[in-house]
Amino acid sequence: MISDAKTAFLEKMGEVLDLQAAGALLAWDQEVYMPPKGAEARGKQLATLAALAHRLFVSDEMGALLGALENEDANDALLRETRHDFDQARKLPESFVARFAEAQSRAYHIWVKARETSDFSLFQPALETMVALNREKADLLGYAASPYDALLDEYERGMTAGVLSPLFGDLAAKLSVLVAALGDKAHPEIPWLDREWDVEAQWRLTLRVVEDLGFDLEAGRQDRSVHPFTTNFDLHDVRITTRLNPRDPFSALMGSIHECGHALYEQGFLESDRRTLLAQAPSLGIHESQSRLWENVVGRSEAFWNYCAPLFKRHFDGMDAIAPEAFYHAVNRVAPSLIRVEADECTYNLHIVLRFELERALIEGTLAVSDVPEAWNEKMRAYLGVQVPDDAHGCLQDIHWAHGCFGYFPTYALGNLVSVQLAEAAERALPGLWDDIRAGRFGALLGWLRENVHRHGR
Ligand code: ZN
């Protein structure tokens, strides 16, 4: 029987999540439909909803309900998770949250300008403010070894710089050797790729593929946006976006498969966890493991292209002579490059290791903001062997630091690592896995993920 206190608690929690979902819908609209002049008002609307949700969540009433229920059942996962978020949120005074949000918005606009003009000196004061605010935030949240740990914990709970440092160090050492050994061999010219790719055909192909993978279009949809992303307002309303590039047919396709991996996860939470914070991933790294598993392990496999090559050929003219292996080779080219979001599977983690080392040093105070460009360029040479021509193609390329997000980058590499661990486990459990994928049957893999990852939520 559900007690009155539990009913009241679930209703309060539901209201908080409803407000957050409304904010997520406004944010989705901002990326997909909103006209440019709507930005100013939208920023205020989003801030209002976020503040309301926060106030409701950290209220004394919520604290009292939580305390009463904890006395009834100390082992309840929902109470445990809510307690964690509640205590964390109460550590940050509203005045700090407001100051942080204001600095974020200012830093973002300055960063856009600095990147356009490739002028780091323009961004430097804003970044100094962001670093100082994040150190203040770390002090408020508390930490044992490094202030960086307190920030990392928000995205990947329990993870520390002390754990990441040897892991990433080892990874970087091995990947740098591999990248250097591959040299030019890994990036052959592919003449048949050099043409125009009809964007409407690309759109139809991406929809067909995500549906084949198991994305329920009755409980989700795909749209176009400048930066592809996934969002959800409920497990029965999960939205993905993709970006169509007329010069590159793989950009949209692999992007859609990536976001579809996130979306399959969100469609796989339990009905009984709806409108609670258990219908969430336990960490960003785990969320990213789902997108990387479908994009890299499945989508870049030879088996997948046995299924996808005929489909691809049906969507574009002049493809008759191209063998399935040609697609497989094309989506697996490796080349050290300047830009993280365009990096291949082999070099991607090196971009992350570089960012982790720099942002940790910034937060721990062993690197001055003014020295960031030089430190960045030096690491790009050491890890990837590339020369950074200007800051726009170097330390100004990512939005994360302008947004005040320190400790976020490592979750991308952790997602890559977890994705292959899960893939190995799935391979052991499903002997017919690759034959299935070869034939375009993805149900067994999705079922395995549903059972072993998705349904568990947080
Ligand atoms: Zn992702």
Side-chain angles (χ1 to χ4, degrees), residues 258-259 262 288 291-292 412:
H258 178 102
E259 300 308 330
H262 283 302
E288 194 67 4
S291 55
R292 303 288 175 152
Y412 294 126

Side-chain angles (χ1 to χ4, degrees), residues 70-213:
E70 281 167 337
N71 289 331
E72 287 176 22
D73 183 0
N75 292 316
D76 185 278
L78 176 58
L79 296 180
R80 197 174 61 234
E81 290 305 300
T82 309
R83 167 60 67 190
H84 173 269
D85 286 12
F86 182 82
D87 287 348
Q88 288 294 100
R90 293 266 274 204
K91 287 178 188 167
L92 303 178
E94 223 173 291
S95 59
F96 176 81
V97 174
R99 256 195 308 138
F100 197 94
E102 221 170 282
Q104 252 174 338
S105 157
R106 208 174 23 243
Y108 169 73
H109 291 291
I110 295 170
W111 168 77
V112 170
K113 200 164 278 165
R115 194 171 77 147
E116 267 169 25
T117 53
S118 192
D119 183 357
F120 180 78
S121 68
L122 206 61
F123 184 51
Q124 189 183 317
L127 185 55
E128 276 161 356
T129 305
M130 251 14 286
V131 169
L133 279 169
N134 270 282
R135 291 167 76 162
E136 194 179 336
K137 185 176 173 185
D139 287 339
L140 288 165
L141 293 173
Y143 55 85
S146 162
Y148 185 75
D149 294 345
L151 307 174
L152 186 58
D153 188 80
E154 287 214 278
Y155 308 110
E156 198 67 32
R157 198 184 328 163
M159 186 52 70
T160 64
V163 172
L164 285 183
S165 204
L167 176 73
F168 283 1
D170 191 33
L171 195 61
K174 287 174 179 155
L175 285 174
S176 304
V177 171
L178 181 60
V179 170
L182 283 167
D184 295 337
K185 277 181 293 192
H187 202 264
E189 288 301 317
I190 300 182
W192 61 267
L193 269 181
D194 186 21
R195 56 171 271 191
E196 288 288 313
W197 299 89
D198 179 56
V199 290
E200 292 311 316
Q202 287 193 45
W203 176 254
R204 288 194 300 275
L205 176 64
T206 58
L207 272 178
R208 168 65 197 268
V209 169
V210 298
E211 204 171 5
D212 283 355
L213 296 181

Side-chain angles (χ1 to χ4, degrees), residues 205 208-213 257 298 301-312 314 324 436-442:
L205 176 64
R208 168 65 197 268
V209 169
V210 298
E211 204 171 5
D212 283 355
L213 296 181
I257 295 173
V298 176
S301 68
E302 200 168 5
F304 179 82
W305 282 96
N306 190 73
Y307 140 79
C308 199
L311 210 54
F312 195 101
R314 242 180 288 150
D436 273 354
I437 291 174
R438 203 172 296 281
R441 292 188 302 263
F442 305 99

Side-chain angles (χ1 to χ4, degrees), residues 400-412:
H400 301 61
W401 292 345
H403 261 330
C405 299
F406 290 78
Y408 193 115
F409 283 123
T411 67
Y412 294 126

Side-chain angles (χ1 to χ4, degrees), residues 156 159 164 167-168 171 258 262 283-297 345 348-349 352 408-423:
E156 198 67 32
M159 186 52 70
L164 285 183
L167 176 73
F168 283 1
L171 195 61
H258 178 102
H262 283 302
S283 79
L284 289 188
I286 297 299
H287 218 311
E288 194 67 4
S289 77
Q290 298 306 294
S291 55
R292 303 288 175 152
L293 190 150
W294 288 100
E295 179 195 356
N296 290 334
V297 181
E345 206 183 353
Y348 188 91
N349 287 325
I352 298 304
Y408 193 115
F409 283 123
T411 67
Y412 294 126
L414 290 171
N416 284 332
L417 298 179
V418 174
S419 77
V420 273
Q421 292 177 325
L422 286 171

